[in-house]
Amino acid sequence: IDDLSVTKGKHSMKLGGNFRRYDISDFVFSEFNVIPEVVSLSLAEFATGTADEYVQRFPQGGKTAQPVGIWGIGIYGQDEWRVNKNLKVTLSLRAEHDASPVCNTDCAAYAPSPIQTVAGSTDVATPYNQLIQGGKSNVFRNSDAINWSPRVGFAWSPMGQNTVIRGGMGIFFDALPGTIGDQFMLNPPQVLSFTFLGPAFGSN
């Protein structure tokens, strides 16, 4: 993070930027995938210790954690203009880029385009490698290149310094929620899921 401020006459101008990166270990592969899941679909089955559904997922290579990087960058310019002794106006513009989360072991998988546009997507004979692209580093195909955030504010003292009326408006963006990326890393062929349905799995 760095900022520069210059005051000239009635103007106080600021310029700055920030860069952030988080390197994390994503354990969703072990928490929700390696451990089998047994589901009871009725209160009676729950009481008797039986189940109707058995689910287990197998991550590729048996890895229970994956290294993921999340980063973003932003810059801004701002001018605080003292119009007179009772009024100050602030104008600013911020530009931000939140990159797609990156899996350092190429563990992401997604459709090459919106699934309804993929040839053969409604045909059960279409192989997975035509519907889903595996071995991707970017968890999403892309993210917004630049998010522009213009903002304006004011501080007005109509009756001297004892009363100050403030207001403003602008466009604001949240950082890209990295947790969404978990779903893209759990797609085939990175993680294979098997579900068995039937009576009383818990009693066998």
Side-chain angles (χ1 to χ4, degrees):
I1 299 175
D2 206 358
D3 297 275
L4 173 67
S5 179
V6 177
T7 301
K8 188 174 183 180
K10 296 183 177 181
H11 296 269
S12 178
M13 293 166 284
K14 296 181 180 180
L15 178 69
N18 68 289
F19 172 79
R20 67 185 185 282
R21 179 181 172 93
Y22 305 101
D23 290 300
I24 62 175
S25 294
D26 195 320
F27 290 96
V28 69
F29 296 85
S30 62
E31 184 177 356
F32 297 109
N33 293 282
V34 177
I35 300 174
E37 177 182 4
V38 178
V39 181
S40 297
L41 301 179
S42 72
L43 185 59
E45 290 169 352
F46 178 77
T48 58
T50 59
D52 272 336
E53 185 175 329
Y54 177 89
V55 182
Q56 188 167 7
R57 301 174 182 87
F58 299 90
Q60 191 176 71
K63 294 182 179 179
T64 57
Q66 300 288 353
V68 178
I70 303 174
W71 66 274
I73 189 170
I75 59 173
Y76 78 93
Q78 175 178 299
D79 182 13
E80 293 181 358
W81 174 30
R82 182 171 293 280
V83 181
N84 54 48
K85 64 179 182 178
N86 296 328
L87 177 64
K88 179 188 289 186
V89 176
T90 301
L91 301 171
S92 66
L93 178 63
R94 183 174 179 86
E96 295 181 278
H97 173 69
D98 286 306
S100 169
V102 176
C103 179
N104 297 324
T105 56
D106 299 333
C107 66
Y110 43 73
S113 60
I115 193 66
Q116 64 270 20
T117 67
V118 178
S121 61
T122 58
D123 187 350
V124 295
T126 303
Y128 266 132
N129 62 4
Q130 293 182 22
L131 295 176
I132 300 175
Q133 294 180 340
K136 298 296 183 180
S137 58
N138 287 341
V139 174
F140 307 130
R141 284 197 301 270
N142 52 52
S143 57
D144 294 340
I146 300 178
N147 291 320
W148 296 99
S149 306
R151 303 168 188 180
V152 60
F154 70 89
W156 179 40
S157 304
M159 296 176 289
Q161 298 301 316
N162 292 331
T163 302
V164 179
I165 300 173
R166 301 178 186 273
M169 61 183 297
I171 298 175
F172 301 85
F173 291 90
D174 288 331
L176 189 68
T179 185
I180 297 175
D182 287 337
Q183 306 307 313
F184 292 84
M185 292 186 289
L186 298 181
N187 281 339
Q190 315 301 21
V191 176
L192 300 179
S193 178
F194 298 92
T195 301
F196 300 93
L197 300 174
F201 274 113
S203 64
N204 296 335

